Amino acid sequence: ELKVEQNPLFLSMQEGKNYTIYCNYSTTSDRLYWYRQDPGKSLESLFVLLSNGAVKQEGRLMASLDTKARLSTLHITAAVHDLSATYFCAAQNTGNQFYFGTGTSLTVIP
Amino acid sequence: DTEVTQTPKHLVMGMTNKKSLKCEQHMGHRAMYWYKQKAKKPPELMFVYSYEKLSINESVPSRFSPECPNSSLLNLHLHALQPEDSALYLCASSHPGLNYGYTFGSGTRLTVV
């Protein structure tokens, strides 16, 4: 079974600061996804990373994938309050199943 | 249509009740999924249907019974649930084998009393 670990589990950061969330997975997976979840809501797709070296950016968020290191990162630039949410990474195996990371609960403080 | 629609959005049921959760998509996706999510935890896979056939059952108790009547619909029948089954139930769909990830529905918030 593909195991996915995220860190940190909780992140409190000040507005305007930068930070990175890390996602490690245990076995080969060429497909890595990032989702955002607001309290009580469903999962919103942020990024789909399909190959080694892939980098995607949307606003203040940038995601990257290193398949050799089995590592994906979600970098937050100049955080704003609206980014407060829980962020999940998910790795996909060849059977098309998703395995979710533990999630990172992000709180941006004014 | 690029959505997965789940109904109802909220459900409160007693331990002796029988109820059903519904999920519908019209994106032509041939894989559909049920996930259970407890508060502050990642979603946990329950069932996978591929081309309307149950392909994965992650050791889910028999009080949860999935059904896929056609390629657009997915149901989850609930019977004799326990309070610990209270959770957010998420439906998702995808193209089997394609690299587009899952599209998630908005979920059903289930409370068992």
Side-chain angles (χ1 to χ4, degrees):
Chain A
E1 179 180 312
L2 188 57
K3 293 194 185 302
V4 183
E5 293 182 352
Q6 271 179 254
N7 68 82
L9 294 181
F10 300 95
L11 175 57
S12 180
M13 57 190 298
Q14 285 187 311
E15 280 190 334
K17 298 293 187 182
N18 304 334
Y19 208 83
T20 300
I21 299 171
Y22 297 89
C23 175
N24 291 90
Y25 52 96
S26 61
T27 61
T28 301
S29 171
D30 292 332
R31 290 168 267 178
L32 198 291
Y33 304 84
W34 285 95
Y35 287 88
R36 167 181 172 146
Q37 188 174 36
D38 291 294
K41 304 293 186 182
S42 187
L43 294 157
E44 173 192 353
S45 179
L46 294 175
F47 299 107
V48 179
L49 302 168
L50 300 177
S51 61
N52 186 41
V55 177
K56 296 268 184 86
Q57 183 162 8
E58 181 73 31
R60 300 175 188 274
L61 301 178
M62 183 173 72
S64 66
L65 178 62
D66 181 344
T67 57
K68 291 182 172 55
R70 296 178 186 163
L71 171 68
S72 180
T73 60
L74 181 66
H75 186 72
I76 303 157
T77 302
V80 293
H81 180 69
D82 286 352
L83 291 179
S84 297
T86 298
Y87 293 85
F88 290 100
C89 64
Q92 191 173 17
N93 69 5
T94 53
N96 205 32
Q97 293 173 56
F98 269 34
Y99 292 87
F100 283 89
T102 46
T104 296
S105 177
L106 171 65
T107 303
V108 180
I109 303 167
Chain B
D1 187 351
T2 59
E3 291 187 348
V4 174
T5 303
Q6 286 188 245
T7 56
K9 293 194 182 306
H10 300 275
L11 177 63
V12 179
M13 62 185 290
M15 290 188 284
T16 59
N17 292 160
K18 285 185 181 180
K19 297 286 184 183
S20 296
L21 309 184
K22 297 186 184 302
C23 175
E24 187 168 2
Q25 57 87 15
H26 297 286
M27 296 177 281
H29 290 173
R30 300 306 296 275
M32 297 185 75
Y33 312 82
W34 280 115
Y35 279 85
K36 172 183 176 180
Q37 187 179 26
K38 302 285 275 185
K40 301 189 187 300
K41 296 292 186 183
E44 297 175 8
L45 182 64
M46 300 175 72
F47 302 105
V48 179
Y49 273 83
S50 183
Y51 296 95
E52 295 86 70
K53 293 193 186 310
L54 182 64
S55 60
I56 293 175
N57 175 343
E58 292 284 359
S59 302
V60 179
S62 60
R63 57 185 183 268
F64 295 90
S65 175
E67 179 196 19
C68 189
N70 59 56
S71 61
S72 299
L73 294 174
L74 185 66
N75 298 321
L76 186 63
H77 303 297
L78 313 173
H79 173 56
L81 294 193
Q82 303 298 310
E84 59 263 30
D85 296 321
S86 299
L88 180 67
Y89 288 84
L90 294 164
C91 173
S93 69
S94 72
H95 285 292
L98 294 184
N99 302 325
Y100 296 115
Y102 292 2
T103 301
F104 281 89
S106 56
T108 294
R109 173 72 60 188
L110 173 68
T111 303
V112 181
V113 297

